[in-house]
């Protein structure tokens, strides 16, 4: 009824019945009922159903009789005339049309619309492998005798496999032939690939002109077959003239102030149009993570000018949250917080959070460790629209003593920090620097032997408390060229963090710490993205300190294993904080050097909200010198024996919540 939309009382026009039967058959065919039989019949209405004599004379009942029959499954897809590629390889090129297999029982039905798209995919496959003259001669469908299975026969002509021979250019005054050939990046002898060739011409070469402002330039490639398997290409270029940007309009920003968007632009009114700068502007606005979509558009004004329009789609970037969870160490944990990543629509970041661990544990009669924390921070990434960042924070944390892969000391931290940062122009404008000055006081309480072991000193032989003061200066250099903040498809990210504590700054926490984190994102086939990362860390004590109480706090040392929460480095597939030097009871001592390698193969399930799955492989380890004042040595790393793991996971980015993740991993190596 919904498909036909026929109503009582409407006129029966010519072809109405025939068209209705075709719609019903098409509806059944979508679900695999290709042999559904539909007939129709017009009959006089029953007595008493129509009171009006005039209407009764012209009224008819329309009855459709449907015999559904059984679903028809696609048994075989047969190709004829294919010599260069096997039928198995060609069937792999079909995206939706799949012949019946035991593992494809849910998707082996024929869909005519998808089948036509798949035939076009076969043509694209051949032409991307050099067969420019490829053609499908015919295709036919036929059924088995019992009409329960259907077969498809595709006859094709491959033609010769072409290679490029010569390239000639005409009409180019702005760039030399050598520059154009270098930008084309297609060499003599390369196999013809239709998609790559179009990308080379209309993206790379024409992009060269559009980056100089020649937005109306035209490049017309004339391809001429030569001999049996060669192609000569003649490029006819019409350069036209430079085009300038007149106005830039911003729309769709219902919360974010317009200047927050404009200050990320790399193009300004009066500039020569530059396509690369426009794409870069789109990326800079997107990486703010305030918008679900950013669409730049070019609006022609006249022969010499264009307007630019940046259309954004606001998304919820501020979060108010309450949480409750369970950890083996801290038992039931609960807390909440406010996170304004676009505070007042000015791009500022304000964060307030607190968490409390309770005294209840499902798995043990012993009381779990106490835990509570509080933090407040504010950051303006571009104060007064200048490339300068300012920020401040205060924080407080208490972590109770533990023996389950955690430290056996009550540990309290109270401190604050001030930070300043700036965008760089060199080596390129993806680089940023941030410098933070922080002061913190740490108090320790526990057994005298544990204080001596983890701090390296104690106030007296029987002292159960200790205190340290940390005054540090931290430098963070980042380079971030990712195209998206949540599901990144290309680009890279580098974070190099160096901390200097104590020494001439004062306090009794005397060390220098260096951590380098590199991430690369590489698009592969379909929508799959490969993420590769390398993380290196080293921690050394200042040898210049003469204070007998000079320490490296244990929370600054490297620990690894599990999810890395509440501190440490994630290594999935192993218990929390179980990798690296440990005491005889299994508690982590922490190390002064760390190496971790990660590869993740990601696939997106949804773009808004972002949901993606991943398969991962991790390797890592933590090592320690017996004396942290000694220089690092390769011999100390046990041949770089890395602990290996693999598994799968999923990530959700939910409005007002943020990222949620779940991983299942298996560790391959012994940690005893």
């Amino acid at each position: 009824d919904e498909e036909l939309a026929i109503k009582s009382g409407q006129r029966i026009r010519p072809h109405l019945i025939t068209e209705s039967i075709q719609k019903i058959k098409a509806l059944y065919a979508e679900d695999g009922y290709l042999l559904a039989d539909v007939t129709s019949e017009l009959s006089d209405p029953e007595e008493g159903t129509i009171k009006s004599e005039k209407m009764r004379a012209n009224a008819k009942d329309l009855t459709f009789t449907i015999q559904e029959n059984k679903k028809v499954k696609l048994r075989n897809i047969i190709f004829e005339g294919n010599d260069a590629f096997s039928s198995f390889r060609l069937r792999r090129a079909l995206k939706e049309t799949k012949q019946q297999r035991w593992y494809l029982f849910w998707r082996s039905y024929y869909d005519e619309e998808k089948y036509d798209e798949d035939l076009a995919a076969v043509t694209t496959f051949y032409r991307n492998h050099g067969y420019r003259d490829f053609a499908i001669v015919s295709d036919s469908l036929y059924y088995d005798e019992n009409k329960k299975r259907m077969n498809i026969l595709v006859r094709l002509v491959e033609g010769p496999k072409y290679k490029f021979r010569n390239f000639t250019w005409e009409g180019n005054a702005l760039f030399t032939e050598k520059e154009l050939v270098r930008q084309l990046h297609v060499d003599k002898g390369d196999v013809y690939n239709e998609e790559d060739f179009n990308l080379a011409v209309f993206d790379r070469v024409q992009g060269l002109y559009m980056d100089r402002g020649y937005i109306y330039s035209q490049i017309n490639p004339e391809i001429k077959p030569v001999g049996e398997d060669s192609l000569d290409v003649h490029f006819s270029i019409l350069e036209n003239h430079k085009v300038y940007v007149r106005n830039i309009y911003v729309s769709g920003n219902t919360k974010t102030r317009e200047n927050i968007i404009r200050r990320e632009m790399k193009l300004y009114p009066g500039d020569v149009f530059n396509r690369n700068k426009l794409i870069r502007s789109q990326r800079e606005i997107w990486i703010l993570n305030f918008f679900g979509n950013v669409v730049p558009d070019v609006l022609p004004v006249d022969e010499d000018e264009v307007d630019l329009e940046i259309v954004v789609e606001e998304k919820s970037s501020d979060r108010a949250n309450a949480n409750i969870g369970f950890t083996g160490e801290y038992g039931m944990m609960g807390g909440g917080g406010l996170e304004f990543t676009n505070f007042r629509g000015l791009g500022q970041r304000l964060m307030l959070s607190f968490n409390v661990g309770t005294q209840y544990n499902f798995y043990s009669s012993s009381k779990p460790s106490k835990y509570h924390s509080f933090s407040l921070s504010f950051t303006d990434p571009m104060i007064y629209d200048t490339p300068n960042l300012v920020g401040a924070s205060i924080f407080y944390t208490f972590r109770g003593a533990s023996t389950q892969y955690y430290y056996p000391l009550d540990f309290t931290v109270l401190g604050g920090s001030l930070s300043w940062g700036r965008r760089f122009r060199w080596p390129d404008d993806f680089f940023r620097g941030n410098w933070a000055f922080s002061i913190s006081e740490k108090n320790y309480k526990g057994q005298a032997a544990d204080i001596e072991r983890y701090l390296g000193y104690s106030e007296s032989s029987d002292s159960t408390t200790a205190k340290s003061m940390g005054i540090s200066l931290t430098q963070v250099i980042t380079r971030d060229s990712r195209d998206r903040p949540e599901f990144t498809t290309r680009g890279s990210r580098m974070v190099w963090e160096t901390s200097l504590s104590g020494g001439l700054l004062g306090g009794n926490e005397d060390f220098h710490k260096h951590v380098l984190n590199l991430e690369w994102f590489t698009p592969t086939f379909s929508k799959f993205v490969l993420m590769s990362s390398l993380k290196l860390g080293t921690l050394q004590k200042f040898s210049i300190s003469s204070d007998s109480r000079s320490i490296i706090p244990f929370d600054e040392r490297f620990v690894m294993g599990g999810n890395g929460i509440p501190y440490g480095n994630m290594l999935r597939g192993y218990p929390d904080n179980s990798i690296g030097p440990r005491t005889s009871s299994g508690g982590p001592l922490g190390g002064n050097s760390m190496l971790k390698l990660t590869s993740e193969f990601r696939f997106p399930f949804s773009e808004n909200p972002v949901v993606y799955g991943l398969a991962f492989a991790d390797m890592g380890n933590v090592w320690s010198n017996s004396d942290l004042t000694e220089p690092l040595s390769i011999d100390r790393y046990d041949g770089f024996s890395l602990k290996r793991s693999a598994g799968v996971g999923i990530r959700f980015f939910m409005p007002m919540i943020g990222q949620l993740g779940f991983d299942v991993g298996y560790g391959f190596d012994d940690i005893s």
Side-chain angles (χ1 to χ4, degrees), residues 65-116:
T65 302
I66 302 173
Q67 185 176 352
E68 294 180 334
N69 296 315
K70 293 184 177 181
K71 283 188 176 183
V72 179
K73 291 192 175 184
L74 181 56
R75 181 175 183 179
N76 289 315
I77 304 172
I78 304 167
F79 292 93
E80 288 186 0
N82 53 307
D83 296 323
F85 301 99
S86 66
S87 296
F88 174 78
R89 181 66 184 87
L90 296 181
R91 282 192 287 267
R92 284 178 54 198
L94 305 175
K95 303 297 184 183
E96 298 293 340
T97 309
K98 303 292 184 181
Q99 65 186 35
Q100 187 178 12
R101 291 289 185 269
W102 66 269
Y103 53 86
L104 293 174
F105 60 89
W106 68 90
R107 55 174 299 185
S108 58
Y109 302 112
Y110 173 78
D111 185 307
E112 184 176 4
E113 184 175 332
K114 293 178 179 178
Y115 171 66
D116 291 338

Side-chain angles (χ1 to χ4, degrees), residues 441-455:
E441 181 181 272
K442 299 175 182 178
N443 290 277
Y444 312 89
K445 183 178 181 181
Q447 299 294 326
D450 290 329
I451 292 178
E452 177 70 29
R453 178 186 298 115
Y454 285 97
L455 272 65

Side-chain angles (χ1 to χ4, degrees), residues 599-650:
S599 291
E600 289 185 355
F601 209 40
R602 301 176 175 179
F603 181 81
F605 298 122
S606 170
E607 294 184 0
N608 191 16
V610 172
V611 180
Y612 67 85
L614 59 91
F616 68 83
D618 289 345
M619 293 192 300
N621 209 342
V622 173
W623 302 271
S624 178
N625 295 31
S626 58
D627 182 355
L628 294 183
T629 62
E630 296 180 8
L632 295 178
S633 171
I634 295 296
D635 297 336
R636 300 185 183 277
Y637 298 109
D638 191 21
F640 286 100
S641 58
L642 302 179
K643 307 302 181 183
R644 301 162 297 169
S645 67
V648 296
I650 193 167

Side-chain angles (χ1 to χ4, degrees), residues 35-54:
L35 299 179
D37 186 31
V38 184
T39 59
S40 64
E41 181 183 3
L42 290 173
S43 59
D44 293 327
E46 295 181 2
E47 291 291 335
T49 56
I50 299 179
K51 297 180 179 180
S52 171
E53 290 290 336
K54 184 177 180 181

Side-chain angles (χ1 to χ4, degrees), residues 407 442 499 509 511 513 539 552-558 591:
Y407 299 107
K442 299 175 182 178
S499 297
E509 297 179 2
F511 64 89
K513 183 178 181 180
L539 171 67
I552 294 181
F554 59 75
D555 61 310
E556 292 290 349
R557 300 174 190 258
F558 299 111

